[in-house]
Amino acid sequence: KNAEQGIYGIVQGGRFEDLRIESAKEIASMDFDGFGIGGSFSKHDLLGILDKVTTELPKEKPRHLLGIGEPEDLFIGAAAGCDTFDCVLPTRNGRTGGIYTRKGKIQIPNAEYKNDFKPLDPECACPVCKIYTRAYIAHLFRSKEMLGPILASQHNLFFLANLTKEIRESI
């Protein structure tokens, strides 16, 4: 056993339910520290496939859902028994002005935020929301200042980490 880091087996199978189940059964028979569940899901089949795959994996070992980064996907993954998640989407969205909020995703470069002096998300406690306004961050994007994408990415990462914490506490 590797005492320094966990070795995870990865369940794959694309959008083919039978291949994912077969992969889950095979990988579950091996002595891994945990299991990753590969991405390539469509929104409408995510929960159904996860329910079938996670029932094949040992309950006492962690399950990591790969490539899932939208807030609603975290709820689906947690409901299906996944413990952790990763994805490039929060920073990719942040770099292009997509901001996660409690009321849904907004595009901060849009003209409607030019004179909006609220935080990105009024309910968020991240450093970005404590200091900067939507108007300022929208200005940064329109001016092509690299601080805009950095702040947007920082907010999105905080937002998802906090959302995951809230989901964990509610369970």
Side-chain angles (χ1 to χ4, degrees), residues 74-94:
L74 298 180
F75 289 101
I76 294 169
C82 295
D83 302 295
T84 56
F85 312 88
D86 77 280
C87 190
V88 300
L89 208 49
T91 54
R92 181 181 295 153
N93 282 336

Side-chain angles (χ1 to χ4, degrees), residues 43-114:
K43 293 276 189 199
H44 74 276
D45 65 0
L46 180 60
L47 184 57
I49 289 177
L50 283 177
D51 278 342
K52 290 179 177 75
V53 167
T54 57
T55 59
E56 301 297 334
L57 301 174
K59 291 182 183 358
E60 70 279 1
K61 292 188 177 182
R63 299 143 183 207
H64 179 83
L65 189 53
L66 299 151
I68 298 299
E70 293 284 358
E72 59 271 16
D73 297 337
L74 298 180
F75 289 101
I76 294 169
C82 295
D83 302 295
T84 56
F85 312 88
D86 77 280
C87 190
V88 300
L89 208 49
T91 54
R92 181 181 295 153
N93 282 336
R95 287 192 308 271
T96 59
I99 306 292
Y100 297 140
T101 76
R102 293 278 178 175
K103 299 202 186 301
K105 192 163 71 174
I106 64 171
Q107 281 301 126
I108 202 67
N110 290 355
E112 66 188 287
Y113 302 109
K114 186 175 182 178

Side-chain angles (χ1 to χ4, degrees), residues 29-45:
S29 72
M30 300 176 198
D31 189 27
F32 285 106
D33 298 312
F35 300 93
I37 301 170
S40 187
F41 296 101
S42 66
K43 293 276 189 199
H44 74 276
D45 65 0

Side-chain angles (χ1 to χ4, degrees), residues 4 8 20 32 40 56 73 86 111 131 136 146 158:
E4 294 182 25
Y8 279 38
R20 281 192 177 272
F32 285 106
S40 187
E56 301 297 334
D73 297 337
D86 77 280
I131 298 171
Y136 179 66
M146 68 186 299
F158 181 97

